[in-house]
Amino acid sequence: MAEPSSLLGKLEIELEIKASAENFHHMFAERPHHIPKAAPSHVKACDLHEGEWGKVGSIIVWNYVHDGEPKVAKDIIEAVDREKNLFKMRVIEGDLMKEYKNFVLTIQATPKHEGSGSIVHWHIEYEKISEEVAHPETLVQLLTEMSLGIDEHLLTEE
């Protein structure tokens, strides 16, 4: 039997965008239902299931495409920090829960030190249900492409 620690994992993504940190954060915290317009090949729908947009404890349902397959995730918002442009959500139901006991995504956007734009940092913490489950590296491409689509969308809104 594998030791429990071998089932735990973390992935991090860091990418530069042209949009401001505040606008990127606002898209996830206050307007995630606009993400399907910004990244239509990756996110098909985002619906508020319970609570209010941008409020801790609210539940959001995402319909997205991963590895060419339609998927669903129901997430609960765990943290929203407007000063730090940080947004954290935990997956509580859906396709990811077939392979992971725990799946938490934290998104933080920070202004670049020089010039315009910002740095988006995704932090993913997860616990696989077994050793046979792959680490979720393929999600890195999905989250990167989605972030870049959101960036382009935000730039056209300015």
Side-chain angles (χ1 to χ4, degrees), residues 23-33 35 53-54 60 62 77 87 89 107 120 122 143 146-147 150:
N23 286 348
F24 191 85
H25 168 75
H26 186 72
M27 180 67 97
F28 272 94
E30 307 290 335
R31 303 187 311 147
H33 52 294
I35 293 175
W53 294 119
I60 300 172
W62 300 86
I77 299 172
F87 183 80
M89 58 191 169
I107 311 149
V120 173
W122 286 85
L143 297 174
M146 180 183 68
S147 297
I150 291 168

Side-chain angles (χ1 to χ4, degrees), residues 12 18 20 32 41 59-60 63 99 101 116 119 121 147 149:
E12 297 196 37
K18 295 175 185 141
S20 73
S41 59
I59 297 175
I60 300 172
N63 290 283
E99 297 182 308
K101 289 181 189 176
S116 61
I119 305 293
H121 185 91
S147 297

Side-chain angles (χ1 to χ4, degrees), residues 12 19 26 37 42 50 52 57 60 66 68 78 82 89 95 97 107 109 113-114 116 121 126 139 142 146 153-154 157:
E12 297 196 37
H26 186 72
K37 291 181 203 160
H42 302 293
E50 187 178 303
E52 296 178 45
I60 300 172
H66 180 224
E78 290 195 337
R82 285 164 183 80
M89 58 191 169
D95 292 290
M97 294 291 93
I107 311 149
H113 293 296
E114 294 181 19
S116 61
H121 185 91
Y126 57 90
L139 278 175
L142 167 74
M146 180 183 68
H153 180 78
L154 289 170
E157 285 186 341

Side-chain angles (χ1 to χ4, degrees), residues 7-11 100 102-103 124-128 135-136:
L7 300 176
L8 299 174
K10 293 180 184 179
L11 283 175
Y100 301 95
N102 250 331
F103 207 92
I124 304 163
E125 292 183 58
Y126 57 90
E127 182 180 358
K128 303 185 300 180
H135 294 281

